[in-house]
């Protein structure tokens, strides 16, 4: 058996020449921790050294599950109804974090993962939609995780959903992943799968007949396929036909008759479909972005399957044992599932023996149907995560089919989590669908997180410390042996806290006193108008008028649209307040902005409310301590300690509320306003002057007044504030 000297991680401390004494000390301490881990591991289990011990720091496999909240996994919520055996295996061999907070929506959380900075600093306060200006996308001047890890020799890939910026209103366009530091990107830049194609490739104008993007059920018909040279052919599967589901799974388009029926023979299929139409998870726009250039195409394969295949292919080419010039890597596999639009996964990814529950017809429109689809998609995602680990060489399959995973024998740390809470209809009890994704409440921001790999001591543990999405930025640096604060300019205020010690030291005390989350709105040009969209949860109605600017976007999330387009003028409403006044008297209106902060027990929420709710208390206050009536400590409306007719606060409650109010105020005031600074150095100088001219006439981070164009107005703002150092002299002059 090798001794500890032979197992020493000889290159884990690789550093740039400018390494400071502080960073050297940190790295030396990390080296001691790693040596202890290796010694304990070899003494206790008698295995050979991990593969990375002699060649450098561990690899990092970062798996992001979209819209998978803490309610979805049985290891975090016993009432969750979907078995996830592969994820459970990783949890059993890792460290489970039970009080992880993300931001309430996708883009803000992802910006936190890769910058270590809260939305109030990055400007990414809401999900990035096509109208979001560069000030609401991740700036090219941010320091991102792949740029940090490059200091330790890491190569980086991001596969799947991006949603950090671009291609719309961004000078980098489809090359945004490369500009933000990734060596390789392959996936979809947008926030989720495209809309479902109810026209079936343009073969019908009746969009009510096939709302799920293909004919449902066991009926079999013929299928259109596109071959080399874009030649379209009709195929009857040697007379056996295809179900509509089988057809789209194989990359085809179900053939329809002129009357809109599913065609049973090719002679009946007289309408040639449009293969340019996207269709949810089955047909979507792909972007490949690396140092070799840019490639765009349309992929006709179920997203989760494609993302797993692509990740496996990339990982197999970067295995240290097969690469003549090995270097550590970080691969982010960012699955789109289980984001809307809900759509049935391929049948080979269904749970064994699945059939639609009695009383719920197959479909994708009603709440019960959406819940079934949510659960099917989650099970399929778990299957793909298992396949990813096996394909990456990190696990094997036992004869029983169970995942066989021994992280101590691998060279890779696995970080797996959800990016925000579950969406509405998919939420499992006892969590609150009214306060789910898109809200700052527990169901919207509490997500499952597990970390496994060779650095973990005493796997199978649970850590109850407060951790935040921003902390992953520091963790990735710690795994690589890097001090992120020494590599990020002081003008970029970091909010992350250490995490590695939770993995290496089972008795580690907690780092965070407070946890924080926020949601706002994206900056958009004055010409962009958003309109009311009403979402249903049972008999209750929830309205937002700050998010959706098209009917299609609203309906894609299952909403009722009250803006223009197909809605008669007499049914249109200008705001959610108007919808409440004229249509739904008991309408719940989402705030325009919300912030939440908690300590070990209590939580404070502050919101900017709609005009018709301006007299309501902007604050809510909750005791998150579990009780028999509230077993997971949820912040439901009934538990608001500041609600009307609530008893006066006790001295303990009042003291905690005052503490949280002060902490929230201090945090929101901690980011200096720096008008005229576009490159994030907190100084208005020549670089900003040059930046305005560089992007003249187009959207950019130098468009300070957010009118959609970098122009004379922005140049004037630079000149008015020229010379200001906002870290020392405060903000510049306002327009």
């Amino acid at each position: 058996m090798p001794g500890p000297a032979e197992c020493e991680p000889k290159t884990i401390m690789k550093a740039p020449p400018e390494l400071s004494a502080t960073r050297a000390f940190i790295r030396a301490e990390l080296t001691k921790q790693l040596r202890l881990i290796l010694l304990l591991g070899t003494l206790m289990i008698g295995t050979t050294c991990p593969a990375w011990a002699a060649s450098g720091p561990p690899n990092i496999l970062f798996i992001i599950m979209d819209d998978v909240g803490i309610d979805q996994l049985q290891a975090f919520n016993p009432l969750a109804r979907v078995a996830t055996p592969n994820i459970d295996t990783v949890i059993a061999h890792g460290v489970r974090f039970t009080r992880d907070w993300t931001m309430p929506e996708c883009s803000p959380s992802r910006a936190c993962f890769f910058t270590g900075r809260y939305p109030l600093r990055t400007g990414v306060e809401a999900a990035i939609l096509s109208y979001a200006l560069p000030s609401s996308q991740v700036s090219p001047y941010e320091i991102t995780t792949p740029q940090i890890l490059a200091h330790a020799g890491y190569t980086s890939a991001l596969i799947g959903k991006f949603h950090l910026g671009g291609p719309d209103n961004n000078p980098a366009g489809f090359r945004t992943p490369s500009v933000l530091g990734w060596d390789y990107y392959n996936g979809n830049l947008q926030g989720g799968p495209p809309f479902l194609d109810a026209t079936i490739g343009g073969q019908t104008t009746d969009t009510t007949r096939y709302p799920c993007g293909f004919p449902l059920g066991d009926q079999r018909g013929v299928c259109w396929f596109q071959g080399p040279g874009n030649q379209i052919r009709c195929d009857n599967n040697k007379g056996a036909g295809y179900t509509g589901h089988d057809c789209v799974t194989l990359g085809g388009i179900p053939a329809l008759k002129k009357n809109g029926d599913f065609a049973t023979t090719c002679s009946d299929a007289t309408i040639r479909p449009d293969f340019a139409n996207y269709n949810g998870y089955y047909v979507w726009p792909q972007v490949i972005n690396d140092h070799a250039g840019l490639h765009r195409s349309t992929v006709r394969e179920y997203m989760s399957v494609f993302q797993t295949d692509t990740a496996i292919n990339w990982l197999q080419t970067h295995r240290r044992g097969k690469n003549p010039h090995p270097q550590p890597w970080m691969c982010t596999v960012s699955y789109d599932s289980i984001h809307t639009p809900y759509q049935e996964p391929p049948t080979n990814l269904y749970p064994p023996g699945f059939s639609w529950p009695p009383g719920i017809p197959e479909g994708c429109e009603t709440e019960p149907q959406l819940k079934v689809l949510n659960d099917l998609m989650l099970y399929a995602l778990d299957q793909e995560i298992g396949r990813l680990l096996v394909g990456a060489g990190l696990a094997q399959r036992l004869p029983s089919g169970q995942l066989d995973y021994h992280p101590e024998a691998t060279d890779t740390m696995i970080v797996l989590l959800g990016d925000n809470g579950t969406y509405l209809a998919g939420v499992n009890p006892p969590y609150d669908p009214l306060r789910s994704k898109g809200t700052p409440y527990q169901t919207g921001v509490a997500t499952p997180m597990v970390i496994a790999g060779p650095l973990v001591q005493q796997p199978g543990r649970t850590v109850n410390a407060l951790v935040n999405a921003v902390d992953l930025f520091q963790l990735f640096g710690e795994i690589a042996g890097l001090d992120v604060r020494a590599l990020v300019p002081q003008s970029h205020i970091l909010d992350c806290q250490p995490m590695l010690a939770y993995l290496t030291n089972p008795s580690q005390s907690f780092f965070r006193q407070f946890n924080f989350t926020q949601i706002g709105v994206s900056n958009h040009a004055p010409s962009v108008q958003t309109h009311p969209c009403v979402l249903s949860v049972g008999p209750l109605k929830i309205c937002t008028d700050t998010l959706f600017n098209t009917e299609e976007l609203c309906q894609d999330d299952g909403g009722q649209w009250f803006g223009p387009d197909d809605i008669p003028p007499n049914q249109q409403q200008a705001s959610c307040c108007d919808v409440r006044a004229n249509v739904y008297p008991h309408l719940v209106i989402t705030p325009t902005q919300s912030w939440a902060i908690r300590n070990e027990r209590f939580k404070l929420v502050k919101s900017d409310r709609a005009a018709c709710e301006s007299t309501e208390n902007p604050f809510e206050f909750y005791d998150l301590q579990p009780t028999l009536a509230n077993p997971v400590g949820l912040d439901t409306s009934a538990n608001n300690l500041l609600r009307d007719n609530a008893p006066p606060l006790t001295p303990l409650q009042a003291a905690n509320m005052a503490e949280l109010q002060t902490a929230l105020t201090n945090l929101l005031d901690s980011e200096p306003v720096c008008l005229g600074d576009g490159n994030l150095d907190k100084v208005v100088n020549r670089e900003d002057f040059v930046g305005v001219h560089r992007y003249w006439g187009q959207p950019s981070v130098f468009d300070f007044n957010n009118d959609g164009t970098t122009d004379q107005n922005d140049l004037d703002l630079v000149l008015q504030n020229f010379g200001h150092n906002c870290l020392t002299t405060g903000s510049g002059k306002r327009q």
Side-chain angles (χ1 to χ4, degrees), residues 522-600:
S522 293
N523 292 321
H524 52 75
S527 59
V528 174
Q529 298 295 316
T530 56
H531 302 279
C533 179
V534 175
L535 305 164
S536 298
V537 180
L540 298 176
K541 306 292 183 181
I542 306 171
C543 184
T544 174
D545 51 15
T546 60
L547 184 60
F548 300 113
N549 68 320
T550 69
E551 181 179 5
E552 196 171 25
L553 276 173
C554 172
Q555 292 180 347
D556 183 56
D557 276 350
Q560 180 183 0
W561 176 250
F562 284 94
D565 297 333
D566 293 339
I567 305 301
N570 63 338
Q571 296 180 23
Q572 296 175 21
Q573 305 293 330
S575 69
C576 288
C577 288
D578 292 330
V579 176
R580 175 187 284 176
N582 300 320
V583 184
Y584 297 122
H586 303 292
L587 186 71
V588 176
I589 301 177
T590 60
T592 55
Q593 298 186 87
S594 292
W595 305 266
I597 192 167
R598 69 162 295 178
N599 57 24
E600 282 295 310

Side-chain angles (χ1 to χ4, degrees), residues 97-101 463-467 510 515 598-600:
F97 291 83
T98 60
R99 293 202 285 181
D100 171 52
W101 267 19
V463 171
N464 296 317
L466 302 178
V467 294
F510 296 172
N515 219 346
R598 69 162 295 178
N599 57 24
E600 282 295 310

Side-chain angles (χ1 to χ4, degrees), residues 40-310:
L40 291 174
T42 54
L43 290 176
M44 289 190 294
I45 63 176
T47 61
T48 58
C49 300
W52 57 270
S55 60
N59 304 314
I60 302 170
L61 178 60
F62 182 29
I63 303 173
I64 304 174
M65 303 178 293
D66 203 344
D67 292 358
V68 176
I70 198 169
D71 63 293
Q72 291 294 299
L73 302 184
Q74 294 174 356
F76 292 83
N77 175 22
L79 296 183
R81 57 192 226 180
V82 177
T84 53
N86 297 295
I87 294 173
D88 289 349
T89 297
V90 178
I91 293 172
H93 292 83
V95 174
R96 178 180 55 160
F97 291 83
T98 60
R99 293 202 285 181
D100 171 52
W101 267 19
T102 61
M103 301 303 115
E105 289 185 336
C106 314
S107 299
S109 291
R110 291 159 194 267
C112 289
F113 297 156
F114 297 118
T115 69
R117 287 155 49 83
Y118 289 141
L120 62 97
R121 310 192 197 284
T122 65
V124 186
E125 297 186 7
I128 297 171
L129 299 177
S130 60
Y131 58 71
L133 292 175
S135 57
S136 294
Q137 305 180 35
V138 175
S139 168
Y141 295 99
E142 291 284 358
I143 307 301
T144 63
T145 293
Q147 294 167 335
I148 291 290
L149 296 188
H151 287 278
Y154 278 72
T155 186
S156 59
L158 198 164
I159 291 158
K161 172 173 169 174
F162 188 63
H163 214 198
L164 294 169
D168 301 294
N169 294 322
N170 193 309
F174 292 94
R175 292 193 60 85
T176 304
S178 178
V179 169
L180 293 184
W182 275 273
D183 297 312
Y184 178 78
Y185 173 75
N186 189 336
N188 60 307
L189 295 182
Q190 289 79 10
F195 304 124
L196 303 182
D197 181 17
T199 72
I200 316 297
Q203 296 179 89
T204 179
T205 58
D206 181 1
T207 57
T208 65
R209 189 164 184 181
Y210 303 112
C212 303
F214 52 85
L216 301 175
D218 297 330
Q219 180 186 1
R220 306 183 77 84
V222 295
C223 190
W224 293 105
F225 291 100
Q226 189 174 43
N230 296 327
Q231 294 296 312
I232 298 175
R233 62 180 178 84
C234 179
D235 188 275
N236 67 0
N237 194 22
K238 299 180 180 179
Y242 302 90
T243 66
H245 194 180
D246 290 341
C247 180
V248 295
T249 300
L250 294 169
I253 299 177
L256 302 185
K257 299 178 182 179
K258 286 184 177 180
N259 65 0
D261 291 344
F262 193 5
T264 55
T265 66
C266 286
S267 60
D268 292 332
T270 58
I271 308 171
R272 297 177 72 81
D274 187 349
F275 272 78
N277 283 18
Y278 298 135
N279 188 13
Y281 279 80
Y282 286 96
V283 188
W284 49 273
Q286 176 197 30
V287 174
I288 300 176
N289 184 193
D290 58 19
H291 296 307
L294 176 69
H295 172 77
R296 295 173 57 196
S297 63
T298 297
V299 172
R300 309 189 69 83
E301 183 178 8
Y302 185 71
M303 270 185 162
S304 298
V305 174
F306 177 90
Q307 289 157 355
T308 300
D309 289 342
T310 304

Side-chain angles (χ1 to χ4, degrees), residues 512-723:
R512 281 192 171 277
Q513 181 182 1
F514 303 109
N515 219 346
F516 172 78
T517 190
Q518 74 174 106
I519 184 170
V521 295
S522 293
N523 292 321
H524 52 75
S527 59
V528 174
Q529 298 295 316
T530 56
H531 302 279
C533 179
V534 175
L535 305 164
S536 298
V537 180
L540 298 176
K541 306 292 183 181
I542 306 171
C543 184
T544 174
D545 51 15
T546 60
L547 184 60
F548 300 113
N549 68 320
T550 69
E551 181 179 5
E552 196 171 25
L553 276 173
C554 172
Q555 292 180 347
D556 183 56
D557 276 350
Q560 180 183 0
W561 176 250
F562 284 94
D565 297 333
D566 293 339
I567 305 301
N570 63 338
Q571 296 180 23
Q572 296 175 21
Q573 305 293 330
S575 69
C576 288
C577 288
D578 292 330
V579 176
R580 175 187 284 176
N582 300 320
V583 184
Y584 297 122
H586 303 292
L587 186 71
V588 176
I589 301 177
T590 60
T592 55
Q593 298 186 87
S594 292
W595 305 266
I597 192 167
R598 69 162 295 178
N599 57 24
E600 282 295 310
R601 176 171 172 178
F602 293 95
K603 177 176 181 178
L604 181 72
V605 179
K606 180 182 179 181
S607 298
D608 286 347
R609 301 190 182 279
C612 56
E613 296 183 334
S614 59
T615 60
E616 293 190 18
N617 189 344
F619 290 103
E620 303 162 59
F621 186 53
Y622 300 93
D623 185 344
L624 300 182
Q625 182 169 275
T627 65
L628 287 176
N630 187 13
V632 295
L634 290 181
D635 43 1
T636 63
S637 58
N639 296 325
N640 179 10
L641 298 174
L642 302 180
R643 69 190 183 277
D644 292 341
N645 302 318
L649 297 181
T650 67
L652 175 65
Q653 293 168 344
N656 276 272
M657 180 173 171
E659 177 189 58
L660 291 174
Q661 284 181 314
T662 299
L664 180 60
T665 299
N666 291 341
L667 178 58
L668 296 181
D669 290 344
S670 67
E671 180 64 22
V673 177
C674 200
L675 298 175
D677 170 37
N679 67 344
L680 304 183
D681 64 357
K682 292 295 187 287
V683 180
V684 185
N685 55 18
R686 183 179 182 277
E687 283 74 15
D688 302 299
F689 180 86
V690 172
V692 170
H693 284 281
R694 179 183 178 187
Y695 295 106
W696 195 272
Q698 60 181 309
S700 79
V701 293
F702 297 94
D703 170 25
F704 302 114
N705 64 353
N706 291 312
D707 64 357
T709 304
T710 310
D711 55 18
Q712 187 65 46
N713 292 326
D714 306 301
L715 182 61
D716 290 344
L717 192 60
V718 171
L719 296 176
Q720 290 167 17
N721 294 279
F722 203 83

Side-chain angles (χ1 to χ4, degrees), residues 164-463:
L164 294 169
D168 301 294
N169 294 322
N170 193 309
F174 292 94
R175 292 193 60 85
T176 304
S178 178
V179 169
L180 293 184
W182 275 273
D183 297 312
Y184 178 78
Y185 173 75
N186 189 336
N188 60 307
L189 295 182
Q190 289 79 10
F195 304 124
L196 303 182
D197 181 17
T199 72
I200 316 297
Q203 296 179 89
T204 179
T205 58
D206 181 1
T207 57
T208 65
R209 189 164 184 181
Y210 303 112
C212 303
F214 52 85
L216 301 175
D218 297 330
Q219 180 186 1
R220 306 183 77 84
V222 295
C223 190
W224 293 105
F225 291 100
Q226 189 174 43
N230 296 327
Q231 294 296 312
I232 298 175
R233 62 180 178 84
C234 179
D235 188 275
N236 67 0
N237 194 22
K238 299 180 180 179
Y242 302 90
T243 66
H245 194 180
D246 290 341
C247 180
V248 295
T249 300
L250 294 169
I253 299 177
L256 302 185
K257 299 178 182 179
K258 286 184 177 180
N259 65 0
D261 291 344
F262 193 5
T264 55
T265 66
C266 286
S267 60
D268 292 332
T270 58
I271 308 171
R272 297 177 72 81
D274 187 349
F275 272 78
N277 283 18
Y278 298 135
N279 188 13
Y281 279 80
Y282 286 96
V283 188
W284 49 273
Q286 176 197 30
V287 174
I288 300 176
N289 184 193
D290 58 19
H291 296 307
L294 176 69
H295 172 77
R296 295 173 57 196
S297 63
T298 297
V299 172
R300 309 189 69 83
E301 183 178 8
Y302 185 71
M303 270 185 162
S304 298
V305 174
F306 177 90
Q307 289 157 355
T308 300
D309 289 342
T310 304
I312 290 172
N313 290 337
W314 189 88
L315 290 167
Q316 288 182 343
T317 64
H318 287 79
R319 284 185 184 173
R320 283 182 173 141
K322 295 188 176 183
N323 192 330
H325 304 288
Q327 62 183 131
W329 48 258
M330 177 176 177
C331 181
T332 299
V333 185
S334 178
Y335 286 104
D336 280 77
S337 197
I338 51 178
H339 196 284
T340 57
Y342 292 141
Q343 197 173 28
E344 294 184 40
T347 54
N348 67 302
L349 295 178
Y350 281 15
F354 170 81
S355 60
W356 277 78
I360 302 178
E362 186 177 0
C364 59
E365 297 180 285
T366 67
E367 284 186 57
Q369 290 171 336
L370 295 177
K371 179 54 180 167
V372 173
L373 291 178
N374 176 98
D375 294 350
L376 282 175
M377 293 166 67
L378 178 61
Y379 183 85
L381 175 60
D382 176 75
Q383 295 300 294
E384 287 302 296
I385 289 173
R387 189 165 70 87
L388 170 66
L389 299 187
V390 172
L394 301 176
Q396 296 178 327
R397 287 287 180 196
L398 297 173
S400 64
Q402 182 179 353
L403 196 67
D404 186 23
Y405 173 49
H406 299 280
E408 73 281 357
T410 72
D411 60 357
T412 301
M413 296 297 295
I414 296 175
V415 180
L416 183 149
L417 85 166
D419 67 343
N420 49 244
T422 308
Y423 185 69
L424 289 176
V427 173
N428 288 313
Y431 290 85
D432 186 356
L434 285 176
R435 299 190 162 203
S436 55
K437 174 185 175 178
T439 76
Y441 303 106
Q442 292 298 98
T443 308
V445 300
T447 63
M449 181 166 69
V450 59
I451 302 174
L455 300 184
V456 171
Q457 286 299 293
Q458 295 184 17
R461 288 186 286 121
T462 294
V463 171

